[in-house]
Amino acid sequence: MNQSFDRHRRLRSSAAMRDLVRETVLQTDDLIYPIFVKEGNNTKTEVTSMPGVFQFPLHELEEEVAELIKLGIKAIILFGLPNDKDDIGTGAYHSHGIVQEATRLVKNIAPEMLVIADTCLCEFTDHGHCGVIENGEVQNDKSLALLKITALSQAEAGADIIAPSNMMDGFVKVIRDGLDEAGYQHIPIMSYAVKYASAFYGPFRDAANSAPQFGDRKTYQMDPANRLEALREAQSDEQEGADFLIVKPALSYLDIVRDVRDRTNLPVVAYNVSGEYAMVKAASANGWIDEQRIVMEMLTSMKRAGVSLIITYFAKDVARYLKGDA
């Protein structure tokens, strides 16, 4: 008996057919792996709330980079953990700060690895905020001056990409002007253009020792309820000279990812943040989910929403899945 309805299942009839018509593909080249580097000569330390993620001393970084290269991962983003902190985050822009030293090391042992330097002050300030504090408030313009010299010191150390994550107004323009004036016109800026004041960052603050010592970051990070504000932020950063636009977090903000993707020709980057990672690892450890299938579905959803790249703590896991080594 002939039926008049559409036969959509024809294109799902076998694994080969499904592969042939697949619209969204996740590749190892899409992945950026975050690395936490700490000062001192002790051994690497696993982050309790992020199984499989470690804080590395410099002398153990080479082995980690070698593993990434073997897996085919071509880009990392560095976060620094200094021994000493002060109220203006001196370690962020010191020529021999931990991020600067880690950058030099990676570029020396693996010149082909793209090093992205997270450009912020919160990991280096004793108060844990992303800028200069006066009378209990973060001072926007005074913070910009320190972020500029931080970016310059990272570029001088050999960073391939500067990634300012502080959410100060005008941060892209000030950093772009500073880089250009210093002869670093070739260094792109990967802006944390759309960064929400999210509850999904908790494990990162354990990993980076960067929790605010008072108050919160809601006066500079975005309200999770807002959509149009994200578009204004992204537009400003693009106009000020950003080369990439990050949306952070990812999973609860895929609508924002699509909005940004539809309004820019720049590469859009999703940050698959620490809380998103920790929840999957915890559920997997309890046997509640199939971790590999969940991870691949999550990251594929980010690609489907329109991102070009994904910063993710799952990068090594995904590279192994794609190689068939899981």
Side-chain angles (χ1 to χ4, degrees):
M1 183 176 66
N2 291 328
Q3 299 285 352
S4 61
F5 49 76
D6 294 332
R7 298 285 182 176
H8 299 294
R9 289 180 58 191
R10 292 172 184 150
L11 302 185
R12 306 174 198 148
S13 59
S14 67
M17 183 70 75
R18 292 189 294 273
D19 288 346
L20 187 68
V21 298
R22 182 161 293 129
E23 299 172 30
T24 305
V25 178
L26 180 66
Q27 307 175 88
T28 305
D29 285 350
D30 301 328
L31 308 174
I32 299 169
Y33 188 58
I35 297 181
F36 299 96
V37 188
K38 61 181 179 178
E39 291 184 331
N41 295 317
N42 48 2
T43 60
K44 68 181 182 181
T45 306
E46 188 169 25
V47 179
T48 304
S49 55
M50 299 177 69
V53 174
F54 294 83
Q55 300 168 335
F56 290 93
L58 284 176
H59 66 87
E60 294 192 36
L61 187 56
E62 182 171 357
E63 182 178 351
E64 178 74 355
V65 171
E67 180 184 8
L68 294 172
I69 291 172
K70 185 176 180 180
L71 289 169
I73 295 170
K74 298 176 181 178
I76 59 174
I77 183 167
L78 294 176
F79 299 92
L81 287 73
N83 285 335
D84 300 309
K85 302 185 180 189
D86 58 32
D87 62 345
I88 55 172
T90 304
Y93 45 86
H94 194 284
S95 60
H96 294 288
I98 184 61
V99 169
Q100 289 79 0
E101 290 298 296
T103 298
R104 292 186 185 98
L105 175 62
V106 174
K107 296 308 293 185
N108 182 53
I109 62 177
E112 71 277 22
M113 178 66 75
L114 279 173
V115 174
I116 305 165
D118 180 79
T119 306
C120 199
L121 303 178
C122 61
E123 296 140 52
F124 302 89
T125 55
D126 53 15
H127 47 73
H129 280 282
C130 303
V132 176
I133 300 292
E134 289 183 1
N135 301 317
E137 296 184 358
V138 177
Q139 302 299 305
N140 193 92
D141 294 7
K142 290 183 179 180
S143 301
L144 293 177
L146 298 184
L147 294 165
K148 174 181 173 180
I149 61 174
T150 299
L152 287 173
S153 71
Q154 293 169 340
E156 289 166 359
D160 297 290
I161 300 173
I162 299 298
S165 59
N166 51 87
M167 287 297 286
M168 297 296 113
D169 290 338
F171 68 101
V172 173
K173 176 173 173 50
V174 169
I175 290 172
R176 181 73 272 159
D177 288 349
L179 291 171
D180 291 352
E181 290 165 5
Y184 295 111
Q185 296 93 339
H186 61 289
I187 300 290
I189 293 175
M190 181 181 285
S191 170
Y192 286 69
V194 180
K195 183 177 181 181
Y196 285 90
S198 172
F200 284 98
Y201 301 153
F204 175 92
R205 291 172 183 173
D206 292 339
N209 300 328
S210 64
Q213 298 304 299
F214 64 89
D216 54 42
R217 295 175 179 155
K218 293 180 180 179
T219 65
Y220 44 104
Q221 295 179 359
M222 288 177 49
D223 183 342
N226 290 357
R227 171 176 171 261
L228 297 180
E229 183 183 8
L231 304 181
R232 296 196 299 270
E233 289 279 0
Q235 182 181 43
S236 291
D237 286 8
E238 181 167 359
Q239 290 172 345
E240 291 176 10
D243 300 281
F244 305 80
L245 301 174
I246 298 175
V247 177
K248 180 182 181 182
L251 280 180
S252 293
Y253 299 88
L254 294 180
D255 59 325
I256 306 301
V257 168
R258 172 47 60 186
D259 282 341
V260 173
R261 170 73 287 154
D262 287 344
R263 289 164 174 80
T264 184
N265 291 321
L266 296 180
V268 177
V269 184
Y271 198 138
N272 178 211
V273 299
S274 59
E276 297 165 350
Y277 175 88
M279 290 191 299
V280 171
K281 288 293 184 181
S284 177
N286 280 283
W288 297 336
I289 60 171
D290 180 327
E291 182 175 326
Q292 179 173 339
R293 290 186 63 194
I294 288 285
V295 170
M296 293 300 288
E297 186 173 338
M298 282 170 42
L299 269 62
T300 298
S301 77
M302 298 170 202
K303 285 293 299 292
R304 189 183 65 243
V307 303
S308 302
L309 302 166
I310 304 170
I311 302 170
T312 179
Y313 305 97
F314 289 116
K316 292 197 293 185
D317 293 332
V318 171
R320 292 187 188 103
Y321 300 157
L322 294 172
K323 284 177 173 286
D325 295 340

